[in-house]
């Protein structure tokens, strides 16, 4: 809500524009649900855990941002006793939030599987009255699944609150594209950057839907109950394959990969909107909290920044003094 979350490695930052227009930034480490890094790096498997991590972190940052827009009934300068009560209340609140977040994520997964995986299957059974071809029935199921997904996006995009979320989503993409195309992170540069990105979650979800269509067309079982079970059991597999494709699309310039990425990029026209300058500023704040974009531009595009060079020189001079040596200049250089 009124903010942007950026994640880089194990660090994430959420920047929020408060009702008083101040930008507040929270930066923390995020520990994956799976601690073993070797497991988290395995192809296909990592996609499943990354998907769950994204849901958990997304809910966590959403609830954090929502706190700024809830009425605060506490006094501005509470007494010590009241302060203790408030701290105790906050601890209880954190515990309740953790439980609520877990239940919400679980409910979201169940609803998503039910609406986008199981419901299309039952709707497709109606086509048995028209044809006996399992291929055509599976194709109809796939078309229904895509229609439900696109219809869902279209419906929520009409909500005013969601429209603002999509504007911040656009700010997020534009900030990343600005840096990845070798431009300094300024409002002007971000404004003229694209709001579409190959590694977007929207593209991931569309790929999930498309891959599920393909898999369910070729994996067939006779029992109607088993068909439902298979669709549920294949969800992690589909998520894993989709994640690997998004990773590949984000790094590859291959024409075929680019062509396959176009539907997801087109879908992002619905889930991202052009942000205002103050939204861009929030996106920039979240980037700068977890990513040294100046170092990135220097390393990948040869850009130089006077303030960075000066800071490095000061650090070298301080290191020289600490070691008992003076920072010397090359011979022949004027003093």
């Amino acid at each position: 809500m009124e903010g942007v979350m950026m994640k880089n490695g194990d660090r994430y930052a959420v920047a929020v524009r408060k009702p008083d227009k101040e930008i507040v930034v929270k930066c923390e480490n995020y520990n994956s649900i799976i601690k073993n890094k070797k497991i988290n790096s395995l192809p296909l498997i990592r996609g499943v855990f990354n998907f769950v991590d994204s849901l958990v972190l997304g809910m966590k940052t959403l609830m954090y941002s929502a706190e700024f827009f809830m009425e605060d009934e506490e006094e501005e300068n509470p007494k010590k006793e009241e302060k203790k009560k408030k701290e105790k209340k906050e601890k209880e609140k954190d515990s309740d939030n953790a439980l609520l977040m877990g239940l919400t994520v679980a409910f979201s997964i169940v609803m998503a599987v039910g609406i986008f995986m199981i419901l299309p299957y039952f709707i497709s059974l109606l086509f048995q009255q028209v044809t006996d071809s399992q291929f055509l029935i599976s194709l109809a199921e796939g078309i229904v699944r895509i229609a439900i997904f696109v219809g869902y996006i279209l419906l929520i995009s009409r909500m005013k609150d969601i429209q603002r979320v999509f504007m911040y989503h656009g700010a997020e993409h534009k900030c990343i594209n600005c840096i990845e195309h070798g431009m300094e992170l300024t409002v002007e540069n971000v404004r003229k950057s694209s709001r579409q990105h190959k590694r977007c979650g929207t593209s991931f979800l569309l790929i999930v839907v498309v891959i599920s269509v393909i898999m369910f067309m070729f994996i067939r079982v006779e029992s109607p109950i088993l068909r439902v079970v298979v669709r549920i059991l294949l969800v992690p597999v589909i998520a894993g394959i989709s994640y690997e494709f998004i990773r590949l699309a984000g790094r590859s310039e291959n024409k075929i990969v680019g062509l396959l990425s176009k539907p997801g990029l087109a879908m992002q026209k619905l889930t991202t909107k052009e942000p205002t300058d103050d939204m861009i500023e929030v996106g920039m704040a979240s980037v700068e909290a977890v990513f040294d974009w100046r170092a990135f531009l220097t390393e990948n595009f040869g850009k130089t920044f006077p303030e960075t060079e000066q800071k490095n020189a000061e650090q070298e001079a301080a290191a020289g003094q600490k070691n008992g040596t003076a920072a010397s200049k090359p011979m022949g250089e004027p003093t």
Side-chain angles (χ1 to χ4, degrees):
M1 293 179 63
E2 299 298 318
V4 174
M5 188 274 287
M6 288 282 180
K7 188 171 181 288
N8 181 30
D10 294 330
R11 296 283 289 172
Y12 78 91
V14 53
V16 180
R17 177 79 72 175
K18 293 166 61 178
D20 62 3
K21 305 307 177 183
E22 176 193 358
I23 298 177
V24 60
V25 180
K26 177 184 178 182
C27 189
E28 289 185 350
N29 283 331
Y30 177 75
N31 297 317
S32 173
I33 57 171
I34 299 298
K35 312 300 180 186
N36 192 310
K37 291 187 177 181
K38 289 185 178 180
I39 295 178
N40 271 331
S41 63
L42 291 174
L44 298 180
I45 294 177
R46 61 189 173 192
V48 179
F49 296 131
N50 187 276
F51 178 61
V52 176
D53 282 340
S54 296
L55 284 173
V56 173
L57 184 56
M59 286 303 305
K60 185 176 181 179
T61 53
L62 174 62
M63 294 173 72
Y64 169 76
S65 65
E67 291 177 359
F68 293 102
F69 303 93
M70 299 173 70
E71 292 183 2
D72 188 3
E73 297 178 356
E74 299 290 334
E75 296 179 5
E76 292 184 5
N77 298 307
K79 296 178 182 179
K80 289 184 178 180
E81 197 63 34
E82 291 176 339
K83 190 174 182 180
K84 288 181 181 179
K85 290 181 180 179
K86 184 178 179 181
E87 289 174 352
K88 183 179 179 181
K89 187 177 179 181
E90 286 178 350
K91 288 181 180 179
E92 292 174 351
K93 183 180 178 182
D94 289 341
S95 178
D96 291 341
N97 283 345
L99 177 61
L100 178 61
M101 184 172 64
L103 291 174
T104 303
V105 170
F107 178 75
S108 299
I109 293 175
V110 171
M111 287 299 295
V113 171
I115 294 173
F116 299 111
M117 293 295 174
I118 307 304
L119 180 61
Y121 165 69
F122 283 110
I123 293 177
S124 70
L125 296 180
L126 299 174
F127 291 90
Q128 290 180 351
Q129 301 175 8
V130 180
T131 178
D132 293 330
S133 172
Q134 288 300 316
F135 177 83
L136 290 177
I137 293 173
S138 297
L139 180 62
E141 179 187 349
I143 294 172
V144 169
R145 181 172 290 111
I146 293 174
I148 290 175
F149 177 69
V150 175
Y152 169 78
I153 297 296
L154 284 170
L155 283 174
I156 66 171
S157 65
R158 299 178 66 87
M159 300 168 60
K160 289 185 178 180
D161 288 342
I162 296 298
Q163 286 174 3
R164 290 192 64 81
V165 170
F166 286 173
M167 290 172 75
Y168 276 105
H169 190 194
E172 172 201 350
H173 283 194
K174 290 167 86 73
C175 285
I176 297 172
N177 277 321
C178 174
I179 298 169
E180 291 185 346
H181 286 81
M183 295 187 292
E184 295 183 32
L185 192 64
T186 64
V187 172
E188 183 179 354
N189 287 340
V190 171
R191 193 188 305 121
K192 61 186 179 185
S193 298
S194 172
R195 71 174 199 261
Q196 296 172 304
H197 200 283
K198 289 181 179 179
R199 296 194 303 271
C200 175
T202 303
S203 295
F204 170 78
L205 290 176
L206 184 60
I207 292 297
V208 165
V209 172
V210 172
I211 290 178
S212 69
V213 171
I214 296 171
M215 291 188 72
F216 296 155
M217 285 179 66
F218 293 97
I219 299 177
R220 301 177 187 174
V221 290
E222 294 299 323
S223 171
I225 295 176
L226 282 179
R227 289 175 194 167
V228 174
V229 173
V230 165
R231 278 154 177 74
I232 295 173
L233 293 178
L234 285 178
V235 168
V237 178
I238 294 168
I241 295 172
S242 303
Y243 178 78
E244 295 304 322
F245 176 81
I246 292 297
R247 278 176 60 93
L248 175 64
R251 299 177 178 181
S252 175
E253 296 298 328
N254 184 281
K255 290 183 179 180
I256 296 177
V257 174
L259 184 64
L260 294 174
S261 299
K262 286 189 179 297
L265 294 174
M267 196 72 182
Q268 290 175 39
K269 291 182 179 180
L270 295 176
T271 61
T272 62
K273 303 295 180 185
E274 284 298 326
T276 59
D277 285 357
D278 62 334
M279 292 178 175
I280 290 174
E281 290 172 355
V282 174
M284 291 169 56
S286 66
V287 171
E288 292 184 324
V290 291
F291 186 68
D292 188 350
W293 59 269
R294 291 179 180 84
F296 175 83
L297 294 185
T298 300
E299 181 180 349
N300 294 277
F301 297 94
K303 298 279 179 109
T304 57
F305 302 92
E307 61 271 26
T308 302
E309 292 179 347
Q310 182 180 353
K311 184 178 179 181
N312 291 338
E314 290 173 355
Q315 290 176 347
E316 289 176 5
Q321 290 176 0
K322 186 176 180 180
N323 295 327
T325 59
S328 60
K329 295 182 179 181
M331 289 184 66
E333 184 178 344
T335 58

